[in-house]
Amino acid sequence: MAKLNPPAAALLVAIAPLLASCAPAGTAEPGAAALTPRQAERLDRQLAGKIPGAPIKCLPNYRSNDTIRVSDSILLYRSGGNLVYRNDLKNSCPGLARDSDIMVVRQFGSSTCEGDFFHLVDRSSGIRGPTCVFGEFVPYRKPAGDAG
């Protein structure tokens, strides 16, 4: 077994925490980033009693009349009381959850699709913020015959 000289050993000890911080943590599942209790409550309230369906790639504009920012990585699009589309962004979008910045969606055609970009713009300064990417849209519907 090879021995490390003292400077090399000291260097390895010094950078070990940095290397460990690069290791993946948690699950790679979309939207798996920890939600605050308030965000979790908001998500649960919007999806309560609804069943997820098969993901779709594009959401036609006429299908959504309300955008709800749950966290920096989850958006909901409400389409009436019985249908909500959940979008887990491709990556986190810093500042999205603040709900104070303006979302500017770069859209081609009459639908917002997986892979389309949007960016945030500061409402008071007009400074452009991060560029973010939509994921798939998962419909959540109330079961047939559920009046509540």
Side-chain angles (χ1 to χ4, degrees), residues 28-112:
E29 182 181 332
L35 298 175
T36 67
R38 185 175 178 184
Q39 291 168 340
E41 188 271 328
R42 187 175 206 185
L43 181 63
D44 291 344
R45 186 175 62 239
Q46 293 298 324
L47 300 181
K50 297 177 177 73
I51 300 171
I56 59 174
K57 299 289 185 190
C58 295
L59 181 65
N61 290 343
Y62 66 86
R63 290 277 180 138
S64 65
N65 54 13
D66 190 16
T67 303
I68 301 164
R69 301 178 190 194
V70 175
S71 70
D72 283 351
S73 59
I74 300 172
L75 288 170
L76 298 177
Y77 289 90
R78 193 168 29 206
S79 180
N82 296 328
L83 177 61
V84 174
Y85 291 91
R86 176 178 172 160
N87 190 282
D88 289 282
L89 303 178
K90 295 287 186 180
N91 295 301
S92 181
C93 185
L96 181 64
R98 280 194 308 262
D99 205 21
S100 59
D101 292 346
I102 300 166
M103 279 180 63
V104 179
V105 179
R106 185 169 181 165
Q107 185 174 318
F108 303 96
S110 60
S111 297
T112 302

Side-chain angles (χ1 to χ4, degrees), residues 4-22:
L4 291 176
N5 61 35
L11 179 62
L12 282 175
V13 169
I15 65 169
L18 293 173
L19 292 174
S21 70
C22 295

Side-chain angles (χ1 to χ4, degrees), residues 111-125:
S111 297
T112 302
C113 296
E114 176 185 14
D116 282 354
F117 294 93
F118 70 92
H119 62 268
L120 300 176
V121 176
D122 183 271
R123 189 176 302 274
S124 58
S125 69

